[in-house]
Amino acid sequence: MNDDSASRIVAALRRRIATAPPGAQLPSNRVLVAEHRASPVTVQKALRRLVALGLVESRPGVGSFVRSVPAAPRPADLGWQTAALGSPRIRTSGLSSTQRASVPDAIRLHSGYPAKELLPERLVRAALLRAARTEAAVTRSPAAGLPELQAWFAGQVAAGAPSGVTPPSARDALVVAGSQSALSSVFRAVVGPGQPLVVESPTYWGAILAAEQAGVVLVPVPSGPGGPVPEEVDRAFATTGARAFYAQPTFANPSGAQWSRDAGLAVLEIVRHRGAFLVEDDWAHELAIDADPAPVVGHDHDGHVIYLRSLTKSVSPALRVAAVVARGPARDRILADRAAESMYVSGVLQAAALDVVTQPGWATHLRSMRHQLRIRRDSLLEAVTTHAPALQVDHVPRGGLNLWARLPDGTDVPQVVRDCESRGLVVAPGTEWFPAEPSGPHLRLNFAAEDPARFAEAGRILGEVLAPSA
């Protein structure tokens, strides 16, 4: 039997079924054999798959017919329990599924990074060579970062500030070795051990890990495609006395959610009223697809937003350069924490990063990257929709690297991950992106790290794992 031939017949019949009325008769097995140039055994296998999926009804001696399929019931919305129960007292933190090694020929949809061909490799290599010939190669850089790179990060924030808002200065931008180290310092310096931190649920697994290592108590609020409900955020502040809210308003990891301008202003007003901070993680600023980023920090006049911006995903994972933009005593505390832990960031890496983002080719690279991300996102979405209809993608992300897919209620997520891996597909279970118990079973599928030509195969594997053929 030829699995590829059976899969092609299944895909063709599903397209026909999609436009056919319930009860319509499909072509006979003999016609399908001739039409697809396949063996009778392969055609029968394809029809059994369609029966197993509930799309076709087989009547012995009569033929195969399009089955009347009732609309799938809406999954129960249990996300409200996230805020009601809070974070569990004991969690186990370990290596993320995104950091797992995989066999060389596996289809990798678990990664947290874009593929090498999406990065500005030529710009990076040239920048590293130039940086190695400067004084940065043999001198210590300032604890707060190279002044020119500080000015670039601060200028990025200032460019989005409306009139009447005082933007941060170059001094307010602290260069750090990646956003993960920045999160650790912010949580230690601004929140503190034993203190509550409001977080979206789901949220970035690395932020959960950093908060736990800092001894911070997580206070989850449910967050959907448009972000959290501002009233839920305010309630969390009121009931816990938290002094900070960690969030990803732009193309959140894992869900791809993007806050509206009104939602961002509403949350900013809440933290102002509560005398608190918004820790804005703008990790995907350069990973826009269908919408431009509009960071909340651009509307912050009085230092309520602590802003994180990383170049790791858009420049190179080998250049772990990011910045924390903060003002006042918060800035000084974060700098003191960073200096105590790592003293300073390599001047060579800083010089190379600055070189890349100030080259004329940087803007060209970002336009190309946006185009390629759109192609990859749409290709993976089509593959999942066609071959794995049991996976539900409620929100098509307008930027970022991932699809956030809901599995049917009651699915054994670890078993699905193991079954996929045994077939050569590596996926990330959604469990680790929840600061408390998951509100439902999910997978996070990265569309930027793998060759899009393999997405159809990935979709078929997911479909087989979730709905095995009879």
Side-chain angles (χ1 to χ4, degrees), residues 330-352:
R331 179 260 186 203
D332 298 336
R333 291 193 184 191
I334 296 167
L335 176 59
D337 186 273
R338 290 310 314 145
E341 181 172 284
S342 60
M343 298 184 70
Y344 58 90
V345 178
S346 163
V348 171
L349 297 185
Q350 292 188 66

mmCIF file of all heavy atoms in Angstrom, residues 330-352:
data_model
loop_
_atom_site.group_PDB
_atom_site.id
_atom_site.type_symbol
_atom_site.label_atom_id
_atom_site.label_comp_id
_atom_site.label_asym_id
_atom_site.label_seq_id
_atom_site.Cartn_x
_atom_site.Cartn_y
_atom_site.Cartn_z
ATOM 1 N N ALA A 330 13.910 52.380 39.171
ATOM 2 C CA ALA A 330 13.771 51.028 38.602
ATOM 3 C C ALA A 330 14.948 50.724 37.689
ATOM 4 O O ALA A 330 15.517 49.617 37.727
ATOM 5 C CB ALA A 330 12.452 50.916 37.828
ATOM 6 N N ARG A 331 15.342 51.697 36.893
ATOM 7 C CA ARG A 331 16.491 51.520 36.001
ATOM 8 C C ARG A 331 17.752 51.238 36.804
ATOM 9 O O ARG A 331 18.538 50.339 36.479
ATOM 10 C CB ARG A 331 16.640 52.780 35.154
ATOM 11 C CG ARG A 331 17.824 52.765 34.183
ATOM 12 C CD ARG A 331 18.991 53.552 34.746
ATOM 13 N NE ARG A 331 20.076 53.653 33.762
ATOM 14 C CZ ARG A 331 21.322 53.879 34.079
ATOM 15 N NH1 ARG A 331 21.682 54.048 35.358
ATOM 16 N NH2 ARG A 331 22.248 53.962 33.139
ATOM 17 N N ASP A 332 17.966 51.961 37.874
ATOM 18 C CA ASP A 332 19.178 51.797 38.674
ATOM 19 C C ASP A 332 19.220 50.440 39.354
ATOM 20 O O ASP A 332 20.270 49.798 39.435
ATOM 21 C CB ASP A 332 19.267 52.913 39.714
ATOM 22 C CG ASP A 332 19.352 54.301 39.074
ATOM 23 O OD1 ASP A 332 19.800 54.380 37.907
ATOM 24 O OD2 ASP A 332 18.961 55.283 39.729
ATOM 25 N N ARG A 333 18.067 49.966 39.829
ATOM 26 C CA ARG A 333 18.031 48.659 40.482
ATOM 27 C C ARG A 333 18.314 47.526 39.487
ATOM 28 O O ARG A 333 19.024 46.569 39.802
ATOM 29 C CB ARG A 333 16.673 48.439 41.150
ATOM 30 C CG ARG A 333 16.423 49.327 42.356
ATOM 31 C CD ARG A 333 15.221 48.832 43.138
ATOM 32 N NE ARG A 333 14.894 49.728 44.245
ATOM 33 C CZ ARG A 333 14.027 49.442 45.202
ATOM 34 N NH1 ARG A 333 13.386 48.274 45.191
ATOM 35 N NH2 ARG A 333 13.769 50.302 46.178
ATOM 36 N N ILE A 334 17.740 47.649 38.297
ATOM 37 C CA ILE A 334 17.964 46.623 37.281
ATOM 38 C C ILE A 334 19.431 46.603 36.866
ATOM 39 O O ILE A 334 20.048 45.542 36.732
ATOM 40 C CB ILE A 334 17.047 46.859 36.064
ATOM 41 C CG1 ILE A 334 15.586 46.707 36.471
ATOM 42 C CG2 ILE A 334 17.382 45.883 34.938
ATOM 43 C CD1 ILE A 334 14.605 47.208 35.437
ATOM 44 N N LEU A 335 20.033 47.782 36.685
ATOM 45 C CA LEU A 335 21.442 47.851 36.313
ATOM 46 C C LEU A 335 22.324 47.236 37.398
ATOM 47 O O LEU A 335 23.274 46.496 37.100
ATOM 48 C CB LEU A 335 21.854 49.302 36.067
ATOM 49 C CG LEU A 335 23.348 49.519 35.757
ATOM 50 C CD1 LEU A 335 23.763 48.746 34.509
ATOM 51 C CD2 LEU A 335 23.642 51.011 35.585
ATOM 52 N N ALA A 336 22.015 47.505 38.641
ATOM 53 C CA ALA A 336 22.810 46.945 39.739
ATOM 54 C C ALA A 336 22.719 45.422 39.745
ATOM 55 O O ALA A 336 23.721 44.726 39.972
ATOM 56 C CB ALA A 336 22.330 47.516 41.075
ATOM 57 N N ASP A 337 21.534 44.886 39.479
ATOM 58 C CA ASP A 337 21.372 43.440 39.446
ATOM 59 C C ASP A 337 22.154 42.835 38.288
ATOM 60 O O ASP A 337 22.838 41.820 38.457
ATOM 61 C CB ASP A 337 19.890 43.082 39.324
ATOM 62 C CG ASP A 337 19.659 41.587 39.421
ATOM 63 O OD1 ASP A 337 19.740 40.898 38.374
ATOM 64 O OD2 ASP A 337 19.419 41.092 40.533
ATOM 65 N N ARG A 338 22.078 43.458 37.112
ATOM 66 C CA ARG A 338 22.798 42.939 35.958
ATOM 67 C C ARG A 338 24.303 42.990 36.189
ATOM 68 O O ARG A 338 25.042 42.055 35.858
ATOM 69 C CB ARG A 338 22.467 43.734 34.686
ATOM 70 C CG ARG A 338 21.078 43.567 34.124
ATOM 71 C CD ARG A 338 20.637 42.148 33.954
ATOM 72 N NE ARG A 338 21.637 41.301 33.323
ATOM 73 C CZ ARG A 338 21.821 40.019 33.633
ATOM 74 N NH1 ARG A 338 21.095 39.446 34.560
ATOM 75 N NH2 ARG A 338 22.725 39.315 32.996
ATOM 76 N N ALA A 339 24.796 44.102 36.748
ATOM 77 C CA ALA A 339 26.231 44.249 36.971
ATOM 78 C C ALA A 339 26.742 43.209 37.961
ATOM 79 O O ALA A 339 27.861 42.698 37.830
ATOM 80 C CB ALA A 339 26.538 45.655 37.473
ATOM 81 N N ALA A 340 25.909 42.879 38.953
ATOM 82 C CA ALA A 340 26.319 41.889 39.938
ATOM 83 C C ALA A 340 26.389 40.495 39.336
ATOM 84 O O ALA A 340 27.207 39.662 39.750
ATOM 85 C CB ALA A 340 25.352 41.897 41.118
ATOM 86 N N GLU A 341 25.534 40.207 38.348
ATOM 87 C CA GLU A 341 25.479 38.864 37.786
ATOM 88 C C GLU A 341 26.458 38.670 36.636
ATOM 89 O O GLU A 341 27.175 37.672 36.570
ATOM 90 C CB GLU A 341 24.061 38.535 37.310
ATOM 91 C CG GLU A 341 23.932 37.131 36.743
ATOM 92 C CD GLU A 341 22.494 36.746 36.462
ATOM 93 O OE1 GLU A 341 21.775 36.455 37.421
ATOM 94 O OE2 GLU A 341 22.107 36.761 35.282
ATOM 95 N N SER A 342 26.496 39.612 35.691
ATOM 96 C CA SER A 342 27.323 39.405 34.497
ATOM 97 C C SER A 342 28.281 40.558 34.195
ATOM 98 O O SER A 342 29.028 40.492 33.227
ATOM 99 C CB SER A 342 26.432 39.157 33.278
ATOM 100 O OG SER A 342 25.579 40.263 33.055
ATOM 101 N N MET A 343 28.248 41.619 34.963
ATOM 102 C CA MET A 343 29.140 42.777 34.856
ATOM 103 C C MET A 343 28.918 43.587 33.576
ATOM 104 O O MET A 343 28.663 44.772 33.636
ATOM 105 C CB MET A 343 30.607 42.368 34.990
ATOM 106 C CG MET A 343 30.941 41.739 36.340
ATOM 107 S SD MET A 343 32.686 41.359 36.561
ATOM 108 C CE MET A 343 33.382 42.996 36.686
ATOM 109 N N TYR A 344 29.002 42.937 32.411
ATOM 110 C CA TYR A 344 28.791 43.676 31.163
ATOM 111 C C TYR A 344 28.599 42.686 30.022
ATOM 112 O O TYR A 344 28.901 41.494 30.155
ATOM 113 C CB TYR A 344 29.961 44.615 30.856
ATOM 114 C CG TYR A 344 31.304 43.914 30.751
ATOM 115 C CD1 TYR A 344 31.771 43.411 29.539
ATOM 116 C CD2 TYR A 344 32.105 43.743 31.878
ATOM 117 C CE1 TYR A 344 32.981 42.762 29.445
ATOM 118 C CE2 TYR A 344 33.319 43.093 31.799
ATOM 119 C CZ TYR A 344 33.765 42.599 30.581
ATOM 120 O OH TYR A 344 34.964 41.943 30.494
ATOM 121 N N VAL A 345 28.119 43.193 28.896
ATOM 122 C CA VAL A 345 27.906 42.382 27.701
ATOM 123 C C VAL A 345 29.100 42.567 26.763
ATOM 124 O O VAL A 345 29.630 43.679 26.635
ATOM 125 C CB VAL A 345 26.599 42.789 26.990
ATOM 126 C CG1 VAL A 345 26.402 41.965 25.708
ATOM 127 C CG2 VAL A 345 25.408 42.608 27.917
ATOM 128 N N SER A 346 29.517 41.517 26.105
ATOM 129 C CA SER A 346 30.641 41.580 25.172
ATOM 130 C C SER A 346 30.517 42.762 24.214
ATOM 131 O O SER A 346 29.502 42.923 23.522
ATOM 132 C CB SER A 346 30.714 40.282 24.362
ATOM 133 O OG SER A 346 31.524 40.436 23.208
ATOM 134 N N GLY A 347 31.569 43.578 24.190
ATOM 135 C CA GLY A 347 31.570 44.727 23.293
ATOM 136 C C GLY A 347 31.555 44.324 21.831
ATOM 137 O O GLY A 347 31.002 45.029 20.980
ATOM 138 N N VAL A 348 32.166 43.189 21.513
ATOM 139 C CA VAL A 348 32.175 42.718 20.123
ATOM 140 C C VAL A 348 30.751 42.404 19.664
ATOM 141 O O VAL A 348 30.337 42.786 18.562
ATOM 142 C CB VAL A 348 33.077 41.474 19.981
ATOM 143 C CG1 VAL A 348 32.914 40.846 18.595
ATOM 144 C CG2 VAL A 348 34.535 41.840 20.217
ATOM 145 N N LEU A 349 29.989 41.709 20.509
ATOM 146 C CA LEU A 349 28.606 41.380 20.143
ATOM 147 C C LEU A 349 27.762 42.647 20.019
ATOM 148 O O LEU A 349 26.929 42.762 19.108
ATOM 149 C CB LEU A 349 28.001 40.438 21.182
ATOM 150 C CG LEU A 349 28.649 39.064 21.320
ATOM 151 C CD1 LEU A 349 27.862 38.204 22.296
ATOM 152 C CD2 LEU A 349 28.764 38.364 19.967
ATOM 153 N N GLN A 350 27.956 43.585 20.932
ATOM 154 C CA GLN A 350 27.199 44.840 20.855
ATOM 155 C C GLN A 350 27.532 45.612 19.579
ATOM 156 O O GLN A 350 26.632 46.121 18.891
ATOM 157 C CB GLN A 350 27.502 45.714 22.068
ATOM 158 C CG GLN A 350 26.980 45.170 23.384
ATOM 159 C CD GLN A 350 27.158 46.173 24.498
ATOM 160 O OE1 GLN A 350 26.528 47.237 24.494
ATOM 161 N NE2 GLN A 350 28.008 45.857 25.460
ATOM 162 N N ALA A 351 28.823 45.710 19.275
ATOM 163 C CA ALA A 351 29.232 46.442 18.074
ATOM 164 C C ALA A 351 28.694 45.786 16.811
ATOM 165 O O ALA A 351 28.245 46.466 15.878
ATOM 166 C CB ALA A 351 30.752 46.538 18.021
ATOM 167 N N ALA A 352 28.711 44.450 16.793
ATOM 168 C CA ALA A 352 28.195 43.746 15.622
ATOM 169 C C ALA A 352 26.690 43.945 15.480
ATOM 170 O O ALA A 352 26.177 44.170 14.371
ATOM 171 C CB ALA A 352 28.535 42.267 15.719
#
